[in-house]
């Protein structure tokens, strides 16, 4: 009975965590608290993503999507806490599996390009 309950509850908890991370990233990008609701709505209404969080499906893809959303959230924050969040999320996602390697590689390349273009501004950030 406990196994059935956890197989039902764990994907829903992971979906809530994913929606929270997407909402926080949307809040940073748009700079409005209404963006949190729009980001959560878009995350929940995407069938391709929410299929990984359906009840009874416990696998590694949900965690990888959470780490991807956290990495995006951290990169959009553009501060030290965001850098730490992204710096922990990217290798954690790669530790779970290599399916997101191209997307995470683009994120790292984006950081390198921004640093190359505006390196002086980045070094002065707190």
């Amino acid at each position: 009975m406990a196994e059935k309950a956890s197989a039902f509850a764990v994907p829903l908890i992971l979906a809530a965590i994913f929606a929270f991370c997407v909402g926080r990233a949307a809040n940073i990008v748009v700079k409005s608290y209404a963006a949190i609701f729009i980001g959560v709505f878009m995350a929940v209404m995407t069938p391709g993503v929410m299929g990984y969080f359906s009840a009874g499906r416990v696998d590694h893809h949900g965690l990888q999507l959470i780490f991807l959303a956290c990495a995006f959230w951290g990169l959009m924050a553009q501060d030290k806490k965001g850098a730490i969040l992204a710096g922990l999320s990217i290798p954690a996602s790669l530790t779970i599996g290599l399916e997101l390697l191209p997307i995470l590689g683009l994120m790292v390349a984006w950081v390198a390009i921004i640093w190359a273009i505006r390196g002086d501004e980045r070094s002065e950030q707190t």
Side-chain angles (χ1 to χ4, degrees):
M1 187 66 157
E3 184 179 353
K4 289 181 183 179
S6 64
F8 177 78
V10 168
L12 298 178
I13 293 169
L14 292 178
I17 295 169
F18 175 74
F20 173 77
C21 294
V22 169
R24 293 296 299 163
N27 182 21
I28 291 171
V29 171
V30 180
K31 307 258 191 272
S32 169
Y33 284 107
I36 293 174
F37 299 110
I38 294 169
V40 169
F41 178 76
M42 295 301 286
V44 171
M45 297 307 292
T46 306
V49 171
M50 292 312 290
Y52 291 115
F53 299 111
S54 61
R57 182 176 177 160
V58 180
D59 64 355
H60 68 283
H61 293 101
L63 282 175
Q64 281 186 305
L65 289 173
I66 289 171
F67 286 130
L68 177 67
C70 285
F72 186 72
W73 173 15
L75 291 178
M76 292 297 111
Q78 297 183 3
D79 59 1
K80 287 184 181 181
K81 289 180 184 178
I84 292 170
L85 179 63
L88 293 174
S89 297
I90 290 173
S93 178
L94 292 175
T95 300
I96 293 171
L98 297 176
E99 291 96 344
L100 295 178
L101 182 62
I103 297 171
L104 297 172
L106 285 174
M107 287 180 157
V108 172
W110 177 74
V111 170
I113 290 169
I114 294 297
W115 180 78
I117 294 171
R118 299 186 313 189
D120 295 335
E121 295 173 25
R122 296 292 178 180
S123 65
E124 296 174 2
Q125 285 182 342
T126 58

